[in-house]
Amino acid sequence: MPRSSADIASRLLDSALHLFAERTYEGTQMPAVAHHAQVGVGSIYRYYPSKEALGNAVFRYAKGGLLAELTEATARPASSPRKEFAQIWRGFTRFAGGSPAAFAFLEHQQHDTFLDAESRVLAAEIDAFAADIIERGQRAGAIRPGDAAVLVALAIGAFGGLLKSIRPLLVTDLSPETLADAESAVWDLLHRKA
Amino acid sequence: MPRSSADIASRLLDSALHLFAERTYEGTQMPAVAHHAQVGVGSIYRYYPSKEALGNAVFRYAKGGLLAELTEATARPASSPRKEFAQIWRGFTRFAGGSPAAFAFLEHQQHDTFLDAESRVLAAEIDAFAADIIERGQRAGAIRPGDAAVLVALAIGAFGGLLKSIRPLLVTDLSPETLADAESAVWDLLHRKA
Amino acid sequence: MPRSSADIASRLLDSALHLFAERTYEGTQMPAVAHHAQVGVGSIYRYYPSKEALGNAVFRYAKGGLLAELTEATARPASSPRKEFAQIWRGFTRFAGGSPAAFAFLEHQQHDTFLDAESRVLAAEIDAFAADIIERGQRAGAIRPGDAAVLVALAIGAFGGLLKSIRPLLVTDLSPETLADAESAVWDLLHRKA
Amino acid sequence: MPRSSADIASRLLDSALHLFAERTYEGTQMPAVAHHAQVGVGSIYRYYPSKEALGNAVFRYAKGGLLAELTEATARPASSPRKEFAQIWRGFTRFAGGSPAAFAFLEHQQHDTFLDAESRVLAAEIDAFAADIIERGQRAGAIRPGDAAVLVALAIGAFGGLLKSIRPLLVTDLSPETLADAESAVWDLLHRKA
DNA sequence: TATGAATGAGGATTCATTCAT
DNA sequence: AATGAATGAATCCTCATTCAT
């Protein structure tokens, strides 16, 4: 089972993501990452110049994954705001189901200690993406008025809360009914009542 | 102005809370806590046997503060589930406004690394308290059916998201209108539609 | 035998000087310095922020010691250039005898890797001090003409070579006759022949 | 343009010499040597079993070069001790001019950490060669009496000091006059005065 | 034969904790 | 009781050396 360079780099990314998600960036030691990735400590530094760089790579990997999922989920035009919300919900669900660690890691609030400028830009992009959808819904009269950023925060917060409430953070452990109930609850949070 | 024991102990708690909220439990050094509390490093150990103990004390201090606020907010019986929700919302708002650091700290997901059994019990109590209120509302037909824990998670998550969206985490920076809008949005999340 | 702060700082300086002289700055490990000074590794960092800072402190300590010795040796005016040379020679001899490690360390050529600006200034001062004496001797007609810096380099180089030739670098191991012979040889190197 | 084995081995030697001279043996990394020699790191180990072995090879290469230069310079019998000294001086000058790095490297004092027995023998040979010349001069009454080793040390030290005083260590940067002046100064150091 | 990615022991530095004052 | 200097285990990172290609 020969390991290519890309292989090692990505295994390091995955290992770091898992450990950071579980025990915090600060609480994870480089040797632990190496061990989890089944690689020598020194090898980490061949791919990432420092722990901080690794932290940023992990952040961008996770955030980028979410962005990709959302982009894909909303690729085909939805026939109604409710449908578009369903697409988004599905994107989040798939992302959280496919990469629970990535979702958990992004939920952490302590990124400020190591994020660099580029990472912050990416984070802002996602926020803009989400705010844009909300604003379209508002113009269509389907979503309640008010600061789009606030509505985004409420909705994503709710989704995050839902995930946090289950251990380990596996959406797949939620029954389809529970998930559907949660979806309509969050839709009601956003929806403009008649 | 000699300082009483209780004085030092509580200043340490406050300082630790602030720093933990800002830079993570793992990312905060004991000397930093001592410095912030204007106390010698050695003194910390007269009040808290270890960093872990301090971390748990801080957690219980914060969680206990929230519980107290919620208990007080719901002290007088509410005339309707919507009113009771308003009480709860007010409790959260007051708590987050009065101790932003405490709220921020509780939002961190990484407590698992240092929480002891007693702290976990306290955390469970709050959850039970919240679930109980939801269940009462469900029995009264005012809150949508479904797993109460899930609804709690969604609502608290939404509130947390709202707070996270503003920097620094100061509810007091939100306009009364925004806050009111958010409150009804979250109520709609919980409310059983006709 | 309680150890004062100044005590530790200076013992660290001495230990580092000895080890740097013996095995190079690069070849000396911080734990070795700590061990030699009978101090914990961490303590080094209470007095010197980094190995580089320690290296510079050692350099300034050694160079400053030489400057002090030379200043003292030439404190009282000499009645002739030859007498002044004898004073200088005595200064070097006393310095090399009293702090063999300091002399040996200064003879190393590899300081460039860690010296900071302040250290370089000090080094330049000594050079100026020496050049000044040579120039006075030249004006008095006692020292051969030519670039003073070159003459300084030749004379100090000769003295350094003398020291290097004995192991361990102890001037005190040289017989008074040998030392006197060397002194007149170096004087002849400088002296203007009739 | 495939490179022969000897080619690689000698380029490694040159590169190592340059880097060792500039940044110390301890301060030079094997990858840096490989890079400078435009060779893969692994290749070093095909020619030199270890860094220590490379260090010794470099030392012997440099010291051997000096010995060769001196041997050649003194090949034809000199008509007087002063002429013989001129030959030696010329040998040193040519060596230092032709291989500044080699000369600089030999001036380092810290070889003790890695020199093996064979290298020490070679070093002793050079010393003997020089002492022998001095002793012949003494017997001829041209050089001052005293320990030959001490005189060698003084003279070579002076020459070394001269070189050190210029940056970068290039004899070729010294004017012919300065060089001639220095030569007679050092001769006066050795010369028996009437 | 030449390479350079992979390794892990070793080096500089940090920080929770102790203890003499 | 309060302090903060001292400590050394633990952390991040480097680099001599190996080995599969």
Side-chain angles (χ1 to χ4, degrees):
Chain A
M1 172 177 39
R3 301 176 313 195
S4 74
S5 269
D7 192 14
I8 291 191
S10 83
R11 204 164 54 252
L12 279 170
L13 215 47
D14 271 323
S15 297
L17 174 59
H18 267 93
L19 295 173
F20 289 173
E22 229 168 57
R23 335 177 177 155
T24 277
Y25 166 78
E26 327 259 3
T28 303
Q29 305 84 337
M30 295 301 262
V33 174
H35 179 81
H36 190 277
Q38 300 189 74
V39 155
V41 212
S43 299
I44 299 180
Y45 293 87
R46 178 164 294 285
Y47 298 92
Y48 305 96
S50 67
K51 186 181 181 182
E52 195 185 318
L54 178 59
N56 278 281
V58 166
F59 181 83
R60 297 206 271 263
Y61 173 50
K63 206 83 176 183
L66 173 57
L67 186 53
E69 200 74 70
L70 293 182
T71 306
E72 197 196 318
T74 55
R76 64 172 66 169
S79 53
S80 74
R82 178 63 185 84
K83 290 269 170 62
E84 186 167 26
F85 173 72
Q87 287 179 331
I88 301 269
W89 182 268
R90 177 132 227 275
F92 268 98
T93 304
R94 291 189 53 150
F95 177 67
S99 334
F103 189 82
F105 177 66
L106 291 179
E107 281 287 299
H108 291 3
Q109 251 41 63
Q110 262 32 50
H111 302 131
D112 308 28
T113 45
F114 63 90
L115 283 199
D116 59 26
E118 195 183 334
S119 298
R120 285 171 210 278
V121 167
L122 179 56
E125 269 177 44
I126 292 244
D127 292 349
F129 179 94
D132 182 55
I133 291 177
I134 292 292
E135 280 161 6
R136 272 209 321 275
Q138 289 177 319
R139 282 193 296 273
I143 289 182
R144 70 176 69 224
D147 187 335
V150 166
L151 288 172
V152 166
L154 288 168
I156 296 190
F159 186 79
L162 173 66
L163 267 286
K164 264 187 259 181
S165 75
I166 43 177
R167 290 277 146 190
L169 297 276
L170 292 173
V171 232
T172 47
D173 284 356
L174 291 172
S175 69
E177 295 76 39
T178 304
L179 213 45
D181 285 354
E183 182 183 340
S184 37
V186 176
W187 171 249
D188 285 346
L189 179 152
L190 294 173
H191 183 44
R192 159 170 232 157
K193 289 196 297 188
Chain B
M1 172 175 42
R3 299 166 316 196
S4 74
S5 275
D7 191 14
I8 292 188
S10 83
R11 205 164 52 255
L12 279 170
L13 217 45
D14 270 323
S15 296
L17 175 58
H18 265 94
L19 296 173
F20 289 172
E22 231 170 55
R23 333 179 181 155
T24 278
Y25 166 80
E26 326 261 2
T28 302
Q29 304 85 335
M30 295 300 263
V33 173
H35 179 80
H36 189 278
Q38 301 189 72
V39 156
V41 214
S43 302
I44 300 181
Y45 290 85
R46 189 160 291 285
Y47 297 92
Y48 305 97
S50 68
K51 186 182 183 182
E52 195 186 318
L54 178 60
N56 278 281
V58 166
F59 180 82
R60 295 205 275 265
Y61 173 50
K63 206 85 178 183
L66 173 58
L67 186 52
E69 201 73 69
L70 293 183
T71 306
E72 196 196 318
T74 55
R76 64 174 64 169
S79 54
S80 74
R82 179 62 185 84
K83 291 271 170 61
E84 186 167 26
F85 174 72
Q87 287 179 332
I88 302 267
W89 182 268
R90 178 130 228 275
F92 267 99
T93 304
R94 291 189 54 148
F95 176 68
S99 334
F103 189 83
F105 177 66
L106 291 179
E107 281 288 299
H108 291 3
Q109 254 41 64
Q110 263 34 51
H111 303 130
D112 308 29
T113 44
F114 63 91
L115 284 199
D116 59 25
E118 196 184 334
S119 297
R120 285 171 211 279
V121 166
L122 179 57
E125 268 177 45
I126 293 244
D127 292 349
F129 179 95
D132 182 54
I133 290 177
I134 292 293
E135 280 161 5
R136 272 210 320 276
Q138 289 177 320
R139 282 194 296 274
I143 289 183
R144 72 175 69 224
D147 186 335
V150 165
L151 288 173
V152 165
L154 287 168
I156 296 189
F159 186 78
L162 173 66
L163 269 285
K164 263 187 263 183
S165 74
I166 44 177
R167 292 274 147 193
L169 298 275
L170 292 174
V171 231
T172 47
D173 284 355
L174 292 172
S175 71
E177 295 75 41
T178 304
L179 213 45
D181 284 355
E183 182 184 339
S184 35
V186 176
W187 170 249
D188 285 347
L189 179 152
L190 295 173
H191 183 46
R192 159 171 230 155
K193 290 196 293 187
Chain C
M1 172 176 39
R3 300 174 314 194
S4 72
S5 269
D7 192 13
I8 292 191
S10 83
R11 204 164 55 253
L12 279 170
L13 216 46
D14 272 322
S15 296
L17 174 59
H18 267 93
L19 295 173
F20 288 173
E22 229 169 55
R23 339 181 174 146
T24 277
Y25 167 78
E26 328 258 4
T28 303
Q29 306 84 336
M30 296 301 261
V33 173
H35 180 81
H36 190 278
Q38 300 189 71
V39 155
V41 214
S43 299
I44 300 181
Y45 292 86
R46 178 164 293 285
Y47 297 92
Y48 305 96
S50 66
K51 186 180 182 183
E52 194 185 320
L54 178 60
N56 277 281
V58 165
F59 181 83
R60 297 207 272 263
Y61 173 50
K63 206 83 176 184
L66 173 57
L67 186 53
E69 201 73 71
L70 293 182
T71 306
E72 196 196 318
T74 55
R76 63 172 65 170
S79 53
S80 73
R82 178 63 184 84
K83 290 270 169 61
E84 187 168 24
F85 174 72
Q87 287 179 331
I88 301 270
W89 182 268
R90 177 131 227 274
F92 267 99
T93 304
R94 289 189 54 148
F95 177 67
S99 332
F103 189 83
F105 176 65
L106 291 179
E107 281 287 300
H108 291 4
Q109 250 42 62
Q110 261 33 48
H111 302 131
D112 307 27
T113 44
F114 63 91
L115 283 198
D116 59 26
E118 195 184 334
S119 296
R120 285 171 210 279
V121 167
L122 180 56
E125 270 177 44
I126 292 245
D127 291 349
F129 179 95
D132 181 56
I133 290 177
I134 291 293
E135 280 161 6
R136 272 211 319 276
Q138 289 177 319
R139 283 194 295 273
I143 289 182
R144 73 175 68 223
D147 186 335
V150 165
L151 289 172
V152 166
L154 288 168
I156 295 189
F159 187 78
L162 174 66
L163 267 286
K164 263 186 262 181
S165 75
I166 43 176
R167 290 277 146 191
L169 298 274
L170 291 173
V171 232
T172 48
D173 283 356
L174 291 171
S175 70
E177 295 76 40
T178 304
L179 212 45
D181 285 355
E183 182 184 341
S184 33
V186 176
W187 172 250
D188 285 347
L189 179 152
L190 294 173
H191 183 45
R192 159 170 232 157
K193 290 197 297 188
Chain D
M1 169 176 43
R3 298 164 319 193
S4 75
S5 275
D7 190 16
I8 292 189
S10 83
R11 206 165 53 254
L12 279 170
L13 218 45
D14 271 323
S15 296
L17 175 59
H18 265 93
L19 296 173
F20 289 173
E22 232 170 55
R23 337 177 178 156
T24 278
Y25 166 79
E26 325 262 3
T28 302
Q29 305 85 333
M30 296 299 263
V33 173
H35 179 82
H36 189 277
Q38 301 189 73
V39 156
V41 215
S43 302
I44 300 181
Y45 290 86
R46 189 159 292 286
Y47 297 91
Y48 306 96
S50 67
K51 185 181 183 182
E52 195 185 318
L54 178 60
N56 277 280
V58 165
F59 180 83
R60 295 205 275 266
Y61 173 52
K63 206 84 176 182
L66 173 58
L67 186 52
E69 200 74 69
L70 293 182
T71 306
E72 195 195 319
T74 56
R76 64 172 65 170
S79 54
S80 74
R82 179 63 184 84
K83 291 271 171 58
E84 186 167 26
F85 173 72
Q87 288 179 332
I88 301 271
W89 182 268
R90 178 130 227 278
F92 267 99
T93 304
R94 292 190 53 151
F95 176 67
S99 334
F103 189 82
F105 176 66
L106 290 179
E107 280 288 297
H108 290 4
Q109 254 41 66
Q110 263 32 52
H111 303 129
D112 309 30
T113 44
F114 62 89
L115 283 199
D116 59 25
E118 194 183 335
S119 296
R120 285 170 210 279
V121 166
L122 179 57
E125 267 177 45
I126 292 245
D127 291 348
F129 179 96
D132 182 54
I133 290 177
I134 291 293
E135 280 161 6
R136 273 209 322 275
Q138 287 177 321
R139 281 194 296 274
I143 288 183
R144 72 177 67 225
D147 186 335
V150 165
L151 289 172
V152 166
L154 287 167
I156 296 189
F159 187 78
L162 175 66
L163 267 285
K164 264 186 262 183
S165 74
I166 43 176
R167 292 273 145 192
L169 297 278
L170 292 174
V171 232
T172 47
D173 284 355
L174 291 171
S175 71
E177 295 76 40
T178 304
L179 213 46
D181 285 355
E183 181 183 342
S184 36
V186 175
W187 170 249
D188 285 347
L189 179 152
L190 294 173
H191 184 44
R192 158 170 232 156
K193 289 196 297 189

